[in-house]
C-alpha cells in the first residue's frame, strides 16, 4: 500500500497512548478521516507538530479499506491556527471545526466545505496576511452559511424557502427554524418555530450569505447587537438541522 497525500484541517485530536494520538482530519481530497498517528507525541516525530487543533497541514495517510482507523504516516505544517489575543477568533475556529465534523460523514469529500473552513481559519488567525478587518463573528457566520449550503442545509435568505418568491429586503423576515429559513407572508401562515428577524439583521444575513458564496467581498460591518440577534437565530437553526446543540456554540461572541 502506498500512502496518499492530502491537504488537511485538524478538527479533533485525542490521546491513544502516551506517545500516539488519534486525530480526525478533514482532507480536501478524501473528506473526513480518523487516523492513528503513531509516535506523534514523541519529541522527535514525523508530524512536525502539525497535528494541533485547527492546523492546516499536508498529510500522508494509509487508507484502510474496511472501516478501521486510517494510519497517518507523516504530516507537515502549512499554517498553524494562531489565536493571539483574539478569544473570539479561537472560539469561532473551534465552532467551525465542530460544525464541519457534525455535518460530514467519513470519507465523503466535500472540497467546498474544506475551502470555506480553510479561508475562515486563515482570516481568524490575527497575524495572517489575510484581510483582518472583518470581525470574527462575521467570518464565522459566512463560513457557517457556506458549510450549511454545501451540506444541503443552507437557510433561505433572500427568497422564500417554501415557494421561492423574492422577499422584500427592507422588511423584517419571518424565519422558519423547521422550514429552511426565510418565508414569505403566505407561506408563513400556520407554521411553527418562526422567529421574526429585524430589518438590520435581515440585511446582515444577506450580506454574510453573499460573502459565503463569493458574490461580494468583505468587510461587512455589522453592529454587535445585530450580530447577537443573528447568533441566536443561527444557533437555533443549526440545532434544529443537526438535532442537537453544538457545545462550542455557547462560546461564540458578537465581536
Ligand atoms: Zn413563500
Amino acid at each position: 500500500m502506498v500512502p496518499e497525500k492530502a491537504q488537511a484541517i485538524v478538527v479533533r485530536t485525542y490521546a491513544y497512548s502516551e506517545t500516539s494520538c488519534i486525530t480526525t482530519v478533514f482532507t480536501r481530497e478524501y473528506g473526513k478521516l480518523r487516523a492513528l498517528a503513531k509516535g506523534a507525541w514523541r519529541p522527535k516525530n514525523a508530524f512536525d507538530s502539525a497535528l494541533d487543533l485547527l492546523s492546516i497541514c499536508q498529510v500522508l495517510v494509509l487508507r484502510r479499506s474496511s472501516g478501521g482507523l486510517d494510519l497517518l504516516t507523516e504530516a507537515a505544517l502549512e499554517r498553524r491556527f494562531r489565536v493571539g489575543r483574539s478569544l473570539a477568533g479561537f472560539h469561532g475556529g473551534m465552532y467551525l471545526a465542530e460544525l464541519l465534523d457534525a455535518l460530514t460523514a467519513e470519507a465523503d469529500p466535500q472540497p467546498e466545505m474544506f475551502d470555506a473552513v480553510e479561508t475562515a481559519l486563515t482570516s481568524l488567525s490575527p497575524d495572517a496576511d489575510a484581510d483582518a478587518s472583518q470581525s470574527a463573528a462575521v467570518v464565522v457566520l459566512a463560513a457557517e452559511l457556506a458549510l450549511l449550503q454545501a451540506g444541503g442545509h443552507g437557510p433561505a435568505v433572500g427568497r422564500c424557502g417554501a415557494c421561492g418568491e423574492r422577499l422584500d429586503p427592507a422588511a423584517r423576515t419571518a424565519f422558519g427554524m423547521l422550514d429552511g429559513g426565510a418565508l414569505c407572508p403566505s407561506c408563513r401562515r400556520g407554521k411553527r418555530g418562526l422567529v421574526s428577524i429585524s430589518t438590520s439583521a435581515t440585511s446582515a444575513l444577506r450580506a454574510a450569505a453573499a460573502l459565503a458564496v463569493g458574490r461580494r467581498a468583505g468587510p461587512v460591518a455589522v453592529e454587535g447587537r445585530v450580530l447577537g440577534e443573528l447568533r441566536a437565530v443561527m444557533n437555533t437553526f443549526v440545532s434544529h438541522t443537526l438535532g442537537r446543540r453544538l457545545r462550542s456554540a455557547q462560546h461564540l461572541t458578537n465581536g
Side-chain angles (χ1 to χ4, degrees), residues 160 162-163 184 187:
C160 171
C163 72
C184 74
C187 294

Side-chain angles (χ1 to χ4, degrees), residues 60-238:
L60 282 179
V61 63
L62 276 171
R63 309 281 311 281
R64 299 282 184 232
S65 48
S66 57
L69 281 178
D70 296 326
L71 191 65
L72 212 60
T73 60
E74 254 182 77
L77 186 67
E78 263 186 23
R79 172 185 283 281
R80 188 180 305 290
F81 186 71
R82 290 182 194 284
V83 288
R85 286 168 298 165
S86 165
L87 205 57
F90 170 73
H91 288 308
M94 296 294 285
Y95 174 72
L96 291 177
E98 193 181 359
L99 181 61
L100 179 64
D101 193 12
L103 283 171
T104 52
E106 282 181 32
D108 177 22
Q110 300 279 355
E112 286 162 349
M113 289 192 181
F114 181 95
D115 294 344
V117 175
E118 187 200 14
T119 304
L121 292 180
T122 302
S123 46
L124 291 173
S125 280
D127 60 358
D129 324 324
D131 177 13
S133 56
Q134 186 66 78
S135 81
V138 173
V139 169
V140 170
L141 180 60
E144 148 181 67
L145 289 169
L147 285 178
L148 289 166
Q149 190 75 43
H153 303 291
V157 173
R159 290 175 177 275
C160 171
C163 72
E165 188 183 299
R166 195 180 282 278
L167 300 171
D168 178 0
R172 293 183 71 93
T173 301
F175 195 90
M177 295 298 172
L178 310 168
D179 296 278
L183 291 168
C184 74
S186 39
C187 294
R188 79 181 65 150
R189 273 188 216 113
K191 290 281 199 297
R192 293 183 309 119
L194 288 187
V195 292
S196 173
I197 304 182
S198 71
T199 46
S200 348
T202 296
S203 74
L205 188 59
R206 286 176 179 224
L211 265 185
V213 295
R215 264 195 291 108
R216 76 172 276 172
V220 173
V222 187
E223 280 176 58
R225 175 182 56 83
V226 174
L227 280 167
E229 182 184 351
L230 284 178
R231 205 52 263 157
V233 169
M234 291 307 296
N235 286 354
T236 309
F237 183 77
V238 168

Side-chain angles (χ1 to χ4, degrees), residues 13-23 35-43 47 69 71:
T13 294
Y14 53 96
Y16 176 74
S17 68
E18 273 185 18
T19 55
S20 301
C21 64
I22 292 177
T23 177
L36 176 63
K38 276 189 192 164
W41 291 347
R42 284 206 182 97
F47 302 99
L69 281 178
L71 191 65

